[in-house]
Each structure stands twice: as C-alpha cells, then as structure tokens.
Amino acid sequence: MRTVTVVGASLSGLYAARELRAQGFDGRLVVVGDEPHHPYDRPPLSKDFLTGRADEARLALADAEETAELDAEWLLGVRARGLDSRGRTVLLHDGRTVSTDGVVIATGASARRLPGDGLVGVHTLRTLDDARALRTELSRGPRSVVVIGGGFIGAETASSCAGLGHEVTVVEAAPLPLVPQLGPEMAAVCAALHRRGGAGLVTGIGVAGLRGSGTVTGVELSDGRVLPADVVIVGIGAVPNTGWLAGSTLALHDGVLCDDGCVTALPQVVAVGDVARVGGARAEHWTSATEQPRVAVRNLLAGRTVESARSLPYFWSDQYGARIQFAGRRHAADTVRITEGALDDGAPAEGGFLALYERGGRTTAVLSIDRPRPFMKARRELARSEDPVERAGAVAS
C-alpha cells in the first residue's frame, strides 16, 4: 500500500494513524475529519470541561511534536461524502477526491436528536463545539435544567450541572437508568446517586415534546406533565455516521458490518470505534476505540484477517463524585453478589463496593463503585478466565 486514508479525525482515527506508523507503514497517510479540530478526548466534555476544571488544551490527544512525527496530511473541517464501490477513492464534500489503497473508517457517531430541538436552549453533548455552547449557557447564572436520557452522557452531564448549582431533573423512559448495561438491581443503585447528588429523577415515562417559541421553556411528558426548563440536554444515544457510505458495497446495519478483525466486505477497508459493528456488536466505549485499531491495521496491511479483536468489554463513568467501573458481558439471567463494601439505603456506602455478576458458578462481569484496586484485580481475573466460546457468542452490553 502506498496510500492509506483514515476517515475520521477521532480517538480511534488517531490510534489507527499511530498504529499504521508503528506497524511499519511509511507511505502517504491522509486523515480526514469533519470537525476543524485535531483529535481530542471526548469523555472530559461532560465532566471537567463542562465544569471549567479543564480547558481545551487538556483535551488534545496529541501534541504538536507527535502530530509532526506522524507525517500525515490532515484534511480537517471537511466531510467525506462517498466511497467508491472498490474502496479506492474517498470523495469529499468540497469536491476533492483522495485516491487511496486502504481505508480506515473511523467516523464515529452523532447524537440522536428530538423533533423541535432547534429551539434556543436545547443542547446535545457529543462534540467540542456542543460542549462549548452548553458551557456558555450554563455560565449565565442558575438554570432549570432538564436532561432527557439517563444513560452515561445524560448522567454525567446531570452530575456536572448539579455540581455547578443548577436545578436538575433527569427524565428516563426506562424504569431505571442504565438497566441494559447493569441490570435492574445495580441500576437502582446508580439511580440513588442522582438523588444523593441533588438531582430529580423521573423514570418510566417518555417525552411528548418540547415547549417554547424560539426559546425552550419546558419539556412535556407523555402523561401531560410539563417540566419547566431554561436548558434542555438531549442524551438519548447516538447514531453511527454511515450516511456517507450509502451506495458503496459495504454492508451497513447500525454501523459498518465487520468480521471479528474489524475487516469489512472489502479487505482494503476496515472500520474502528463507534461506527464499527465488529463480530455482531457495536461498542461505544473509549476502550474499544483504542484497542480495535491495532488489530484493524494489522489486518489491513496483511490484506486479510489474521487477528481478531476480542477484548473484554470495559467502561467507566464519573457521576456525583463516584467512579463507576464495569467489565465483562452481563446476561439477563445473571445473579449479582456484593463481595466488598455495602449499600446504605440503596446507595453505595462510604468506600463504595465491588459486585460480581455470576451464572452457573462462573463470574461473567464485575461492577465497582469507588473500589478501583479490587476492580482492576477482578477485571484481570475475569479476562484470564473468559471462555472463548462464550466470548465469541456473547454481545457486549
């Protein structure tokens, strides 16, 4: 290969560029990004950046020296609009084309939106520009904030808003936040964090629409209630950015379909990160975005799948001063057992706890709140003991 194009100046895109150089590719390296920014770290956007504890300089994933060492052509602030049927040409929105021998798709995902979210005061939190706009809004004094969606982004943003002194209500359509990831028993514990952190929590009810003319004034629930709101934050998940691949020969279904090695239907095209559906699963987590590129690049340079990307799923979240860590593959039939620490009125007691998910005498996953050292030990043991057949057949939460 003489030219490799990474489409997506994201976390996974940067890691792919690093891997290409580390694995010996010394040809032309092109990185295309729809944002005008060089790759930056997204997890702090809902936490330290939003609260003002971190500035934009701390978000950068690579300094000027490393960027220069990569010797890449950075085409930033321009979207990809197509990939030819053979995967040899990337078409850009400004009319340019990039002829290439290999492609790494790392276009990530975009925040889902609600009808009517064009009102002033309605925000999503996915990009640096999103975070800038929301931080500016929150700096104007005390606000009534409604967060729609109790997933990780919603919970972290609610936590930051509450910490800044705003009145916060979280609306979650499911009976409890984070049920798909943690199961009902441990999801109830995380729900208690909202209450302990001073945020209101409305569960088991959907949103009918947004109120306001020009500027948002409230959120109407499906039961007719209206929650007053100066600021609304929509955190209802993300959609993989695959629209630019319509008309290509790649298989698309909630992401770019890949085999276990991140390789698509075209051996010269691989996909990584939030946009990639690897071996039947799409994982929107930092660890997947950083671990997949090594395997994907190796397979890309080999021209076929020679290695699989089957790492143990892992994610973390910081909410209301608590660090939540989870690793493994939880199943609905699993039982949960707290092995260290305890609960206090349904919330983590001081010092947190460690819980194991078990089935048939085997540990399938581990959850920790504020017990990082025991968690890392349990995570390592879980990775060593994982059944290859179970791992291949399970879908990460």
Side-chain angles (χ1 to χ4, degrees):
M1 289 188 175
R2 295 183 178 181
T3 300
V4 173
T5 302
V6 179
V7 186
S10 57
L11 173 69
S12 57
L14 175 63
Y15 270 68
R18 287 172 172 168
E19 284 295 337
L20 282 160
R21 293 309 191 203
Q23 295 187 32
F25 176 72
D26 59 3
R28 181 188 179 209
L29 174 57
V30 181
V31 182
V32 178
D34 63 345
E35 295 185 61
H37 319 292
H38 277 81
Y40 58 88
D41 204 15
R42 294 183 191 273
L45 293 180
S46 58
K47 299 183 278 286
D48 287 352
F49 181 80
L50 196 60
T51 58
R53 293 193 299 268
D55 58 17
E56 292 186 20
R58 287 181 57 187
L59 301 178
L61 289 168
D63 58 23
E65 181 179 356
E66 182 189 2
T67 300
E69 288 177 352
L70 283 175
D71 190 24
E73 297 175 35
W74 296 87
L75 306 181
L76 301 177
V78 59
R79 292 179 179 273
R81 67 173 178 85
L83 180 69
D84 76 345
S85 60
R86 298 177 298 109
R88 300 293 186 183
T89 304
V90 177
L91 314 176
L92 304 181
H93 260 289
D94 62 6
R96 285 179 290 175
T97 61
V98 180
S99 297
T100 190
D101 303 303
V103 176
V104 179
I105 297 171
T107 45
S110 297
R112 293 183 186 274
R113 312 192 78 91
L114 284 175
D117 71 356
L119 295 171
V120 174
V122 180
H123 299 262
T124 56
L125 186 52
R126 185 81 187 183
T127 68
L128 175 56
D129 291 341
D130 292 340
R132 284 173 172 170
L134 180 56
R135 188 164 79 165
T136 298
E137 179 112 32
L138 295 173
S139 68
R140 294 173 181 160
R143 291 286 193 269
S144 294
V145 179
V146 175
V147 179
I148 302 174
F152 292 114
I153 294 297
E156 290 172 358
T157 306
S159 170
S160 294
C161 291
L164 290 170
H166 301 288
E167 182 182 346
V168 180
T169 302
V170 178
V171 179
E172 169 58 52
L176 287 167
L178 302 177
V179 167
Q181 294 86 359
L182 305 180
E185 188 174 348
M186 292 295 105
V189 175
C190 289
L193 292 176
H194 289 284
R195 293 188 289 270
R196 193 170 71 182
L201 181 61
V202 179
T203 61
I205 194 162
V207 170
L210 303 176
R211 291 283 188 91
S213 177
T215 299
V216 71
T217 59
V219 175
E220 182 179 354
L221 304 181
S222 56
D223 63 1
R225 283 182 292 166
V226 176
L227 302 177
D230 304 309
V231 178
V232 173
I233 301 161
V234 181
I236 54 174
V239 181
N241 293 324
T242 59
W244 69 282
L245 294 167
S248 72
T249 57
L250 300 183
L252 308 174
H253 179 66
D254 186 35
V256 179
L257 270 62
C258 308
D259 66 11
D260 287 346
C262 303
V263 179
T264 72
L266 298 173
Q268 70 274 18
V269 179
V270 297
V272 294
D274 292 357
V275 74
R277 194 167 190 83
V278 180
R282 191 171 67 84
E284 295 181 20
H285 299 304
W286 193 91
T287 45
S288 300
T290 57
E291 292 175 353
Q292 290 172 355
R294 182 189 63 80
V295 174
V297 165
R298 184 181 178 200
N299 293 334
L300 177 67
L301 297 179
R304 60 188 179 89
T305 302
V306 295
E307 185 176 348
S308 295
R310 290 179 179 172
S311 57
L312 185 73
Y314 165 66
F315 60 80
W316 78 92
S317 179
D318 295 318
Q319 302 175 21
Y320 305 100
R323 167 58 65 95
I324 302 169
Q325 293 173 284
F326 182 93
R329 296 176 170 86
R330 185 194 71 83
H331 294 252
D334 292 352
T335 58
V336 186
R337 179 169 59 94
I338 294 178
T339 59
E340 294 188 25
L343 300 180
D344 180 9
D345 194 24
E350 185 176 354
F353 68 87
L354 183 77
L356 300 182
Y357 292 76
E358 298 170 325
R359 187 176 69 259
R362 291 181 55 246
T363 299
T364 59
V366 57
L367 169 70
S368 162
I369 295 185
D370 293 335
R371 293 254 171 160
R373 289 187 178 179
F375 173 82
M376 294 307 295
K377 179 182 178 182
R379 179 187 173 191
R380 288 192 298 268
E381 292 174 350
L382 182 60
R384 284 195 298 265
S385 65
E386 195 178 24
D387 183 349
V389 175
E390 176 86 3
R391 179 180 61 197
V395 176
S397 296

